Amino acid sequence: GDSVTQMEGPVTLSEEAFLTINCTYTATGYPSLFWYVQYPGEGLQLLLKATKADDKGSNKGFEATYRKETTSFHLEKGSVQVSDSAVYFCALSYAGGTSYGKLTFGQGTILTVHP
Amino acid sequence: DVKVTQSSRYLVKRTGEKVFLECVQDMDHENMFWYRQDPGLGLRLIYFSYDVKMKEKGDIPEGYSVSREKKERFSLILESASTNQTSMYLCASTPVGTPYEQYFGPGTRLTVT
């Protein structure tokens, strides 16, 4: 079956540091890939997405590129802020078939940014 | 803005009790989902529904059931709560046109003692 694996956390950074959170996936088909973010006390919200190989998703200074050859979708940000402290989830989904709309999540990575 | 609300933020129940978790969305979305979130395990899909009266099992349906009598409401039922069902429960919805972006509620933290 499909699965998503994220780097072990928690990740602790100083403000303005460079962020990378690794995500790799195993898929039986050609999924779309997502990063969701969960701020303290809130539900998840979509951060960015990529629907096919070599697509780059970007939002709020975060970027991730869909790499089919390495089955990866690593999240990056050039300069993190304290307000980026949250839990980040990598996920995959399919547009059709019996898995339509269902998300498969990684285990989540806790990010803490200090001033 | 899309709004997904859940009936309680925190809930404490005793082992063996029947527990109802309610989820309501206000954007006329067809698809609704229930997940549980546990540290180190991410989110796992319990049940989902593509339409009123329709339900399908997710990856971990054991010990749970669901009800969808109206389009905007999707209920998760723990028939006889057990301590291993202590968790954060998250509801989500998505329209047919954009199945990828799921809109999440704030979650219900359930403790079973």
Side-chain angles (χ1 to χ4, degrees):
Chain A
D2 299 333
S3 65
V4 177
T5 302
Q6 295 179 227
M7 65 184 288
E8 293 288 332
V11 175
T12 303
L13 296 173
S14 297
E15 207 165 25
E16 299 183 0
F18 184 85
L19 169 71
T20 300
I21 300 178
N22 290 338
C23 170
T24 57
Y25 66 91
T26 302
T28 52
Y30 301 97
S32 296
L33 301 174
F34 309 87
W35 278 100
Y36 277 79
V37 59
Q38 185 180 33
Y39 298 105
E42 299 182 13
L44 278 71
Q45 55 185 276
L46 180 66
L47 180 60
L48 54 84
K49 67 184 179 190
T51 57
K52 61 182 187 297
D54 299 325
D55 269 3
K56 178 187 281 188
S58 61
N59 187 25
K60 298 181 181 179
F62 291 89
E63 291 184 341
T65 301
Y66 189 165
R67 301 284 188 201
K68 186 180 173 185
E69 63 276 12
T70 55
T71 62
S72 65
F73 193 55
H74 304 320
L75 182 69
E76 296 183 336
K77 187 175 185 183
S79 176
V80 293
Q81 306 300 312
V82 172
S83 57
D84 294 326
S85 298
V87 184
Y88 292 82
F89 292 92
C90 187
L92 65 81
S93 183
Y94 293 93
T98 58
S99 298
Y100 180 76
K102 289 166 56 180
L103 285 165
T104 298
F105 286 91
Q107 66 268 45
T109 301
I110 300 172
L111 170 66
T112 303
V113 181
H114 293 296
Chain B
D1 280 352
V2 174
K3 194 163 186 183
V4 180
T5 57
Q6 295 183 230
S7 50
S8 306
R9 292 300 299 272
Y10 300 94
L11 209 53
V12 180
K13 295 292 182 181
R14 294 195 180 274
T15 300
E17 278 193 83
K18 191 169 186 175
V19 181
F20 292 87
L21 302 182
E22 300 281 331
C23 174
V24 178
Q25 49 93 4
D26 66 357
M27 286 301 292
D28 203 35
H29 289 172
E30 288 78 10
N31 306 329
M32 297 187 75
F33 305 81
W34 274 107
Y35 297 91
R36 63 177 284 176
Q37 179 182 4
D38 299 290
L41 297 177
L43 275 72
R44 293 177 291 167
L45 182 64
I46 305 171
Y47 267 97
F48 60 103
S49 170
Y50 288 149
D51 204 348
V52 175
K53 305 272 187 190
M54 180 273 178
K55 61 186 178 185
E56 287 202 30
K57 293 180 180 179
D59 301 317
I60 52 164
E62 296 78 18
Y64 304 93
S65 63
V66 290
S67 173
R68 192 161 181 206
E69 296 296 321
K70 294 184 177 182
K71 190 175 184 180
E72 67 270 17
R73 189 180 298 269
F74 191 36
S75 302
L76 180 69
I77 304 159
L78 287 66
E79 295 290 342
S80 178
S82 63
T83 55
N84 63 13
Q85 293 178 309
T86 291
S87 186
M88 172 70 85
Y89 290 88
L90 291 166
C91 175
S93 72
T94 185
V96 169
T98 54
Y100 310 117
E101 182 165 2
Q102 294 191 10
Y103 295 85
F104 283 82
T108 295
R109 184 164 293 282
L110 172 66
T111 301
V112 182
T113 61

